[in-house]
Every structure is written in C-alpha cells, then in structure tokens.
Amino acid sequence: MWRFLARRLLELVIVFFGVTFVIYCAVFLLPGDPIEALGGDRPLPESVQQQLREQYGLDQPIWQQYVNYLGGLFQGDLGTTFTGQSVSEQMASRWPTTITLALTAWVLTVLISVVLGLVAGLRRGSAIDRSVLLGTIIAESVPVFVMGITAQYVFGIMLKWTPIAGVGDGWPRSFILPALIIAIYGLAGVSRLMRGSVIDTMQSDFVRTLRAKGLSRRGIVGLHVTRNAAAPVVNVLAIQLGSLLGGTVVIEAIFNINGVGQLLYKAIQDQEGTLVVGVATTLVLIFLITNVVVDVISSLLDPRIRND
C-alpha cells in the first residue's frame, strides 16, 4: 500500500512541475508586455517600466522566474498582481461562490447521470436508450457558451424562472441554471459509462443465479445491479468533483458570477499574468490531489488496483 501511495505521490509531483511550468511559460512568453499595458493610452516612462520589471522579476530568464515563483509558492505565496493586490486574498473571497456552484453542478451530475444510465441500460435498444445516447452526443457537441447564453435567454429572459446573472437571489435560485449547464457536460460521459456498466452487470453470472432463484427484477436491480454497476462510475464522479472547479470559468463569465472562474477570465483579459498563473496552479493542484485521493480509496476497496 505504501509503495502504491509513494508512486502516486511521485507521479503527482512530476505532473505538477510539468504542468505548472508549461502554464507559466504559456502566460509569460505570450506576445505583449503587461507592464506597458499598465499605462493604457499613456505609456509609462521607460525608467518606471524598468523598475517594475525588476520588482516583478520580469527582467530575468523564464526559468529563473519560474524558480522564484515556486519558491514563493512553497511558502504559501501565490504572488502579487501588477496592481499590488495579493493573489491569495483575491481568490479567498471568491472560493465560496465557486465551490457552491461546483458542488451544485456535481450533485446534479450524479443524480441525472446515474438515473439516465440506469434506465438506458435496463432498456437497451429501446427508444429511451436511443434518446439518451443521442441526447448525450448532442450535449457534448454544443459549445458551452452557446448553451449557456441560450439557457440564459430562454429561462432568464423569456420564462423568468431564474435570474439572468449574478447570485443576488442566493442558493439555489441563482445557482441552479449555471450549475445545470456545467453538469450537462459532465453527465454526458458518465451516463454512457453507467449504461454500459448496467448492461455488463445484467449479463453477469450472479444475476442469472438470482433470476434462477426467483428473485424479482425489481429486487435484482435495486439490491444488486445498481450497486455493482455504480462502482466504476463512482471513481469518475469523484474525479469530476475536482475538474468542475476549473469548468466554471466560462459559465461564471456568462452569468456574471463573482467566483474564481470569473477572476481567471478577467485576469486573462487584463494580462495579469501572475493572477492567471496563481489561479491555474491552484486548480491544477486541486485536480491532482483529488485524483490521488480517489486512487487511494479505490485501491483500498479493490487491492488489485495496487498491482496495475
């Protein structure tokens, strides 16, 4: 078990350094000078620009900048924006909103995907099964911003069921629509996975034995099939909980939700490289830790995984 855990942690460290270095290079090697952008229509004097570059370490090689960033990161410092604001403080005030949105989307994903996959699997080849497969394909094909804007217009403006933007009405009214849009992209793959797992479970030997013993179909499905079919789906759903935090970026921008996703969106627009890297690094770390936790829990439930 300890060897398995050590291997997973080593993989986490390698992936973390690789991904964060790519993110850092992608942000700070892009065309454009964020220091020049601070002046807007009136460029800052060259002496001031040089002083700011030295202050933020932008006059150093990219690898040195990355090492300096890691040094601060290991001390809990995500950096300071070019306007003098702490990245950690800006994120701290927005995390509750993003977490609420992500958790709401995750719960919707769990409820809808399990039900759709179970019904489709039990009615394989029926009109319901084909409808679920077609619906999930369509859901994954439509860009998230198109679906978000359309839902905002239909349910917010035409039907007036939900607020158009913001979270002024609190949970659940302000969160349910954006969370549902996020959930649709998660449940598409999970529902198909659940469907396939249900079909495999229904064809297994122990189900045939239960039928031979005279157990009713409802009892077989309710007590045995659902529990066994959901086992591989649980791992995917657990991993999605971490990835949903990063999936809120576009939706928070569309619905003007004051969360971490919107903070990242505005940071990209304003060329606040330190803020972009800080938010992206935090999201990557959350995702990686979630993966490791899921792997460890899965290995405890099924020791065969440790030997993979």
Side-chain angles (χ1 to χ4, degrees), residues 39-237:
D41 296 333
R42 296 182 178 180
L44 297 174
E46 186 62 33
S47 59
V48 175
Q49 292 187 33
Q50 183 60 32
Q51 181 180 355
L52 289 173
R53 291 190 182 93
E54 293 177 359
Q55 178 181 343
Y56 289 100
L58 299 179
D59 58 335
Q60 300 175 349
I62 190 66
W63 66 267
Q64 185 64 53
Q65 295 180 40
Y66 177 68
V67 170
N68 294 339
Y69 174 74
L70 288 180
L73 183 63
F74 292 149
Q75 298 177 19
D77 182 15
L78 290 173
T80 304
T81 66
F82 297 130
T83 56
Q85 296 176 300
S86 170
V87 173
S88 300
E89 291 178 0
Q90 290 195 59
M91 292 175 62
S93 62
R94 294 170 180 256
W95 271 122
T97 301
T98 295
I99 292 174
T100 301
L101 178 60
L103 286 176
T104 304
W106 186 76
V107 171
L108 290 174
T109 301
V110 173
L111 296 177
I112 299 174
S113 61
V114 169
V115 171
L116 288 179
L118 181 62
V119 173
L122 294 175
R123 299 177 179 272
R124 181 183 182 184
S126 66
I128 294 178
D129 182 25
R130 290 193 291 270
S131 298
V132 171
L133 292 176
L134 178 62
T136 54
I137 293 174
I138 293 175
E140 289 184 322
S141 302
V142 180
V144 63
F145 67 89
V146 174
M147 189 175 296
I149 294 174
T150 302
Q152 190 179 44
Y153 176 76
V154 173
F155 297 104
I157 297 177
M158 294 180 61
L159 300 177
K160 301 186 184 301
W161 288 356
T162 61
I164 299 175
V167 293
D169 290 356
W171 190 91
R173 195 165 185 267
S174 296
F175 287 88
I176 194 67
L177 185 58
L180 182 60
I181 302 302
I182 298 173
I184 287 175
Y185 287 88
L187 66 86
V190 176
S191 60
R192 289 200 296 269
L193 177 62
M194 182 67 182
R195 172 187 177 272
S197 185
V198 168
I199 292 174
D200 291 341
T201 305
M202 289 294 292
Q203 296 174 347
S204 60
D205 293 336
F206 82 90
V207 171
R208 297 191 187 97
T209 302
L210 293 173
R211 286 173 177 169
K213 290 182 177 181
L215 190 64
S216 65
R217 178 180 173 86
R218 178 176 297 181
I220 293 174
V221 173
L223 296 176
H224 302 280
V225 173
T226 303
R227 183 178 59 185
N228 285 274
V233 178
V234 170
N235 291 339
V236 177
L237 289 172

